[in-house]
């Protein structure tokens, strides 16, 4: 198993490089100008300097290489510097313009100013991936948005798993019963009704008419005591309900179909003939084998958590990753779109490997070495 996982990780490197290259070249073909949002009063020569500062004057292959260096070399160093207080992602540079006295004092106090052979040098950070829209590092913005996404989408995914698996198991065991028919009806609703309908519907019922929950998610809210935690739960309930309905409908159908397929196998009749209790037969033997295809759906759905829910986050004004991607697309912020899509690709490849490894843990017959 370890050899298989190592081999898959090694093969993932060229796969991700190819994916990143394809994404980058496709985004290069996208229409739009990053300087379109700059005020019209800004002279053209200033806009040209801004383009050069963003690296837009270089050929596409050079831009792609710089992006690779920034993502795979500079950003990990920035993370190490943040965790351990080092300066791997910094270098000494000679300023092109004279420094003011106040700036000199500030840099000297921070330990970022030195004199070498009479030449003033300033400690500056290496060039990172910069958002065209905000002119700030892309990874910093993404790290700010991830907690909001995990609060909503992550909790919804966990809730959906905890609800869907028992429903799927019991529906299969009690096939064509009232519970099974009711579960089928609810799951069909979850499949059929899109979030852009259920979201506003819940807002009208629970926010406008009943006044139970806030209609807009407050991303600036911080949990410090019981009252703030209670408000956090209140504003999470509606977006979590919208997302959990869809995820539960999908997972429960997969779980039910897999359980029905295994309940009719010969090993189930053998286990019952040996005198094993029905609880052990269903919850140990059948459930374990039925989880194999469901694990694939769950594992491959986890990257969607970090991708956010674009529609739901837009309806409830959650400033998560999904909302960030939508805003970047509208603003033609190619570095942000490029980085987000590449992160999604990394997560998909990683959790695909995790799903394959879990196969071997769930089914002893599966061996990769």
């Amino acid at each position: 198993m370890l050899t298989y996982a190592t081999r898959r990780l090694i093969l993932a490197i060229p796969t991700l490089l190819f994916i990143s290259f394809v994404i980058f070249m496709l985004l290069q073909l996208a229409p739009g100008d990053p300087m379109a949002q700059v005020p019209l009063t800004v002279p053209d020569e200033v806009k040209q300097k801004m383009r050069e500062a963003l690296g837009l004057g270089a050929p596409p292959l050079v831009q792609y290489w710089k992006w690779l260096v920034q993502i795979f070399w500079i950003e990990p160093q920035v993370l190490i510097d943040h965790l351990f207080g080092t300066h791997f992602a910094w270098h000494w540079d000679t300023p092109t313009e004279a420094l003011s006295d106040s700036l000199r004092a500030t840099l000297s106090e921070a330990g970022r100013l030195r004199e070498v052979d009479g030449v003033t040098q300033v400690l500056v950070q290496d060039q990172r991936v910069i958002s065209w829209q905000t002119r700030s590092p892309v990874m910093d913005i993404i790290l700010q948005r991830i907690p909001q996404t995990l609060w909503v989408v992550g909790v919804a995914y966990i809730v959906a798993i905890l609800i869907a698996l028992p429903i799927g198991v019991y529906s299969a065991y009690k096939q064509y019963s009232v519970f099974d028919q009711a579960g089928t009806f609810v799951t069909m609703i979850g499949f059929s009704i899109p979030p852009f309908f259920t979201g506003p519907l819940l807002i009208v019922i629970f926010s406008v008419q009943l006044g139970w929950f806030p209609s807009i998610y407050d991303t600036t809210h911080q949990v410090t005591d019981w009252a703030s935690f209670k408000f956090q739960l209140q504003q999470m309930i509606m977006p979590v309900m919208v997302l959990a309905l869809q995820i539960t409908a999908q997972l429960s159908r997969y779980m039910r179909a897999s359980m029905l397929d295994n309940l009719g196998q010969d090993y189930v009749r053998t286990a019952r003939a040996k005198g094993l209790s029905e609880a052990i037969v269903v919850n140990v033997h059948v459930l374990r084998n039925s989880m194999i295809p469901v694990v694939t759906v769950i594992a491959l759905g986890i990257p969607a958590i970090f991708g956010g829910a674009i529609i739901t986050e837009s309806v409830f004004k959650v400033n998560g990753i999904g909302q960030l991607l939508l805003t970047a697309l509208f603003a033609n912020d190619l570095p942000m779109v490029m980085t987000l899509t590449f992160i999604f690709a990394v997560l998909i490849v990683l959790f695909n490997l995790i799903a394959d490894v879990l196969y071997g843990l769930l089914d002893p017959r599966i061996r990769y070495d």
Side-chain angles (χ1 to χ4, degrees):
M1 184 68 70
L2 181 60
T3 304
Y4 170 78
T6 304
R7 185 169 63 249
R8 285 284 300 273
L9 287 175
I10 294 175
L11 292 175
I13 296 176
T15 302
L16 291 174
L17 288 176
F18 177 75
I19 292 174
S20 66
F21 180 77
V22 172
I23 295 174
F24 185 86
M25 290 306 171
L26 289 176
L27 291 177
Q28 291 295 314
L29 301 176
D33 184 6
M35 298 294 109
Q37 297 182 350
V38 177
L40 298 177
T41 55
V42 178
D44 293 337
E45 57 272 14
V46 176
K47 292 183 179 180
Q48 183 61 29
K49 290 183 179 180
M50 295 174 65
R51 287 191 178 92
E52 294 176 357
L54 293 174
L56 297 178
L61 291 179
V62 175
Q63 296 182 39
Y64 174 68
W65 172 252
K66 289 182 178 179
W67 180 85
L68 284 179
V69 173
Q70 292 168 346
I71 287 295
F72 290 101
W73 181 250
I74 297 178
E75 291 298 341
Q77 294 184 43
V78 172
L79 178 61
I80 295 175
D81 293 343
H82 177 72
L83 295 176
F84 302 102
T86 55
H87 293 85
F88 289 112
W90 297 72
H91 66 278
W92 292 99
D93 192 15
T94 303
T96 57
E97 300 178 356
L99 302 177
S100 62
D101 294 337
S102 59
L103 182 58
R104 278 182 171 273
T106 303
L107 293 174
S108 178
E109 184 179 357
R112 295 175 52 190
L113 187 68
R114 71 179 184 181
E115 298 284 340
V116 179
D117 297 331
V119 178
T120 302
Q121 293 184 346
V122 178
L123 186 63
V124 296
Q125 194 175 40
D126 296 337
Q127 180 64 45
R128 304 173 63 186
V129 181
I130 301 298
S131 169
W132 292 349
Q133 184 180 12
T134 62
R135 304 296 192 269
S136 56
V138 166
M139 293 303 298
D140 291 350
I141 302 175
I142 294 175
L143 292 176
Q144 292 173 1
R145 297 293 188 94
I146 283 181
Q148 306 298 337
T149 295
L150 293 181
W151 265 111
V152 177
V153 188
V155 171
Y157 204 75
I158 295 175
V159 170
I161 292 175
L162 295 178
I163 295 176
L165 296 186
I167 290 177
V169 172
Y170 193 76
S171 295
Y173 186 71
K174 297 291 185 179
Q175 189 180 15
Y176 304 131
S177 64
V178 176
F179 182 87
D180 185 27
Q181 299 293 339
T184 302
F185 175 74
V186 173
T187 53
M188 289 302 101
I189 293 178
F191 273 122
S192 304
I193 303 179
F196 62 80
F197 177 80
T198 55
L201 179 63
L202 292 181
I203 290 177
V204 170
I205 295 175
F206 294 103
S207 295
V208 178
Q209 296 184 355
L210 299 178
W212 290 357
F213 310 120
S215 61
I216 297 178
Y217 189 93
D218 184 8
T219 55
T220 62
H221 178 70
Q222 295 182 353
V223 178
T224 56
D225 51 16
W226 172 251
S228 59
F229 179 73
K230 182 180 179 181
F231 178 79
Q232 178 67 22
L233 291 179
Q234 289 178 341
Q235 70 174 355
M236 285 173 54
I237 287 178
M238 287 197 298
V240 167
M241 286 172 59
V242 172
L243 293 173
L245 177 61
Q246 279 194 325
I247 302 172
T248 301
Q250 180 187 26
L251 292 181
S252 62
R253 290 291 91 186
Y254 274 103
M255 191 73 241
R256 179 182 181 275
S258 182
M259 284 288 296
L260 287 176
D261 182 60
N262 282 275
L263 282 171
Q265 298 295 324
D266 294 337
Y267 73 88
V268 177
R269 289 191 291 269
T270 303
R272 287 169 175 167
K274 288 182 177 180
L276 295 178
S277 65
E278 196 68 10
I280 295 178
V281 172
V282 175
N283 297 325
V284 178
H285 297 281
V286 179
L287 180 59
R288 181 175 180 178
N289 291 329
S290 301
M291 284 296 297
I292 295 177
V294 180
V295 162
T296 304
V297 181
I298 295 176
L300 295 182
I302 292 178
I305 297 177
F306 297 90
I310 296 178
I311 296 177
T312 305
E313 289 183 0
S314 299
V315 170
F316 294 98
K317 301 298 184 290
V318 181
N319 289 330
I321 298 298
Q323 182 72 8
L324 178 63
L325 178 59
L326 186 64
T327 304
L329 287 171
F330 282 128
N332 196 33
D333 190 353
L334 299 189
M336 179 66 73
V337 177
M338 174 70 186
T339 305
L340 285 174
T341 51
F342 180 72
I343 291 175
F344 301 158
V346 172
L347 292 174
I348 291 174
V349 172
L350 176 62
F351 281 98
N352 200 345
L353 172 61
I354 293 176
D356 291 342
V357 172
L358 290 177
Y359 287 166
L361 299 177
L362 291 171
D363 191 346
R365 297 171 298 177
I366 299 178
R367 289 292 181 266
Y368 297 110
D369 299 334

